[in-house]
Amino acid sequence: MEKTLILLKPDAVKRRLSGEIFSRFEKKGLKIVGLKLMRLSKAQAERHYSVHKGKPFFNGLVEYITSGPIVAAVLEGENSISITRTLSGATDGSKAAPGTIRGDYSMGIEKNIIHASDSSESFEHEFPIFFSKEEVQEYNCGDEENIF
Ligand code: CMP
């Protein structure tokens, strides 16, 4: 089954929204297979966001994502990449649709609560910045036939 990476950014952690956000993904049918609370180094943040290097918001983005603890998670399920992106909503929280995570909890584009891999190529780039393969659990919940 497809895996994806999500990061709950410092605004989500400090606003005590982590449980609420994971609850949405779990209720949808995605499974948590990797999870950690961590503080990113500048080097890790620059590697994660390397595709944005040179853009006007890059330095601010790196400064922000390293400013406090984040929660990194690997979620698994059929089409988990597109599903997490849909549930997360548009990048700019002030424009994201109500009912989405950013639409419900974010007012801006930098403090936008969550990052979610946008493709399998992005997942392959991002995953090793946060996890080793041994830190991911393989298991079945037993109800997969009712969900997928
Ligand atoms: P994320 O999904 O983590 O991926 C890249 C991040 O860059 C994005 O969320 C936003 O937080 C941030 N971002 C994108 N565009 C801008 C912008 N114009 N100004 C500030 N931050 C931005």
Side-chain angles (χ1 to χ4, degrees):
M1 285 239 223
E2 188 173 80
K3 292 183 179 62
T4 193
L5 178 98
I6 63 160
L7 306 177
L8 304 189
K9 299 185 181 184
D11 52 327
V13 175
K14 289 181 179 172
R15 290 173 59 197
R16 308 174 181 87
L17 290 171
S18 304
E20 163 65 23
I21 294 166
F22 278 111
S23 176
R24 290 182 179 212
F25 289 127
E26 288 195 296
K27 285 175 187 160
K28 181 74 172 169
L30 297 176
K31 181 171 71 181
I32 301 168
V33 295
L35 185 63
K36 60 172 75 167
L37 178 74
M38 62 193 292
R39 182 85 172 242
L40 276 188
S41 68
K42 189 170 180 239
Q44 283 175 308
E46 287 181 345
R47 186 174 159 205
H48 174 67
Y49 282 128
S50 58
V51 67
H52 297 297
K53 201 168 170 62
K55 294 183 184 168
F57 59 84
F58 180 75
N59 289 343
L61 184 59
V62 168
E63 197 174 319
Y64 170 60
I65 201 80
T66 57
S67 68
I70 62 161
V71 176
V74 180
L75 303 179
E76 187 180 86
E78 276 179 27
N79 300 313
S80 60
I81 293 174
S82 70
I83 286 169
T84 52
R85 299 277 300 176
T86 302
L87 266 57
S88 296
T91 306
D92 186 344
S94 69
K95 300 191 177 94
T100 65
I101 292 164
R102 288 171 177 150
D104 288 351
Y105 299 121
S106 166
M107 301 280 272
I109 196 163
E110 187 175 83
K111 293 182 181 65
N112 66 348
I113 301 282
I114 187 165
H115 168 84
S117 301
D118 65 6
S119 63
S120 52
E121 292 74 25
S122 296
F123 173 75
E124 296 302 329
H125 166 71
E126 295 167 1
F127 171 79
I129 300 170
F130 302 91
F131 291 95
S132 65
K133 286 201 171 128
E134 295 70 37
E135 290 172 321
V136 172
Q137 300 293 320
E138 296 293 338
Y139 64 96
N140 291 319
C141 294
D143 60 358
E144 283 78 5
E145 74 276 17
N146 295 321
I147 294 175
F148 299 109

